[in-house]
Amino acid sequence: MRIFFAAFFLLLPALLLGQERAPLYYRMARTEFFKLPDLHQPMSLTAPDYELLDAALFHATNEVRATHGLPSFRYDPVLFEAASYHATTMISRNFYDHQNKTGAAYRTPDQRIRTFGGDYHATAENIAQFPTIDMPRQYCPRQQSDRTYRYFDCRTGKAFRPFTYAAFARMSVQKWMASPGHRANILNDDLTFLACAARLSRNPYGSRNAPFARPVQNFGGYLFRHEPRASARDRN
């Protein structure tokens, strides 16, 4: 028992430091975060606020965890670097896969997390491709005078608009929750840390095909709960 308490008090400063190191959005209470006015504005598909979008995915995931009586995930900058890297390269290199071919150190989710400094006993990853415009599967694309496309209801002619940041995040998490494997990761009580990143398709209005995002969730867990190590960026 004395050893346990000694270890806990040695660990406490690291736990507090980790909380202080988290960016502002992740230090906000979930209910306060979702009151931010910018969250309820349509996403800019050409110049998105990625910090806001990534944090919205994080808080929307914890929103679902709470409805299942589970503790909230804690943010980890190492997991964020891994998620951001994979989401960015899936867009820039136009692929959709858990396997990343940019180098051996980045090939699998676990390798990416370790490359960025993670030391978790257990890791998991969710990925997806979701539309960034709130519209049904059937739509009518129309080319505009500037040769870009907009997307309309074929029956009424109403133009469809991009999701708000909050709506896209909640839609993404609900779709993951409808898939057994993705759901299992979100509700896994042994996974206690999370970071999310979504990157939007390039040239979003340049095609008849609807624009999309490729979001990534990276999860981590320990056999004994403790603070993850700082990311490589934080250590420099």
Side-chain angles (χ1 to χ4, degrees), residues 102-171:
T102 56
Y106 304 100
R107 187 168 299 278
T108 68
D110 189 62
Q111 286 171 318
R112 288 190 289 277
I113 291 168
R114 291 186 180 279
T115 294
F116 286 108
D119 61 350
Y120 288 104
H121 298 134
T123 62
E125 180 176 87
N126 287 344
I127 64 173
Q129 178 173 305
F130 295 134
T132 49
I133 293 181
D134 188 2
M135 61 186 186
R137 289 182 178 271
Q138 298 296 323
Y139 61 90
C140 287
R142 296 178 189 170
Q143 193 170 41
Q144 309 298 293
S145 59
D146 61 0
R147 305 186 67 81
T148 63
Y149 285 86
R150 294 297 183 270
Y151 310 94
F152 297 85
D153 184 303
C154 299
R155 183 176 60 85
T156 67
K158 179 183 177 181
F160 294 113
R161 302 183 69 196
F163 283 102
T164 67
Y165 290 92
F168 178 83
R170 285 169 166 155
M171 177 272 294

Side-chain angles (χ1 to χ4, degrees), residues 16 22 26 30-31 35 39 41 48 72 74 80 105-106 116 133 135 174 188-189 195 197 210 212 228 233:
L16 296 175
Y26 301 94
R30 184 173 63 253
T31 53
K35 291 178 183 178
L39 268 177
Q41 297 300 315
S72 293
R74 295 179 60 199
F80 174 76
Y106 304 100
F116 286 108
I133 293 181
M135 61 186 186
Q174 288 302 323
N188 188 338
D189 195 29
F212 60 87
R233 180 180 299 174

Side-chain angles (χ1 to χ4, degrees), residues 31-58:
T31 53
E32 292 305 309
F33 174 80
F34 278 113
K35 291 178 183 178
L36 293 174
D38 287 350
L39 268 177
H40 304 285
Q41 297 300 315
M43 292 190 295
S44 168
L45 303 190
T46 55
D49 184 339
Y50 281 132
E51 290 186 6
L52 188 65
L53 177 58
D54 297 345
L57 285 164
F58 176 87

Side-chain angles (χ1 to χ4, degrees), residues 36-93:
L36 293 174
D38 287 350
L39 268 177
H40 304 285
Q41 297 300 315
M43 292 190 295
S44 168
L45 303 190
T46 55
D49 184 339
Y50 281 132
E51 290 186 6
L52 188 65
L53 177 58
D54 297 345
L57 285 164
F58 176 87
H59 283 293
T61 306
N62 277 334
E63 194 171 52
V64 166
R65 291 263 291 189
T67 66
H68 287 80
L70 294 171
S72 293
F73 286 115
R74 295 179 60 199
Y75 171 82
D76 177 15
V78 165
L79 294 177
F80 174 76
E81 298 231 12
S84 178
Y85 180 86
H86 194 51
T88 299
T89 53
M90 280 200 295
I91 293 296
S92 65
R93 301 203 175 199

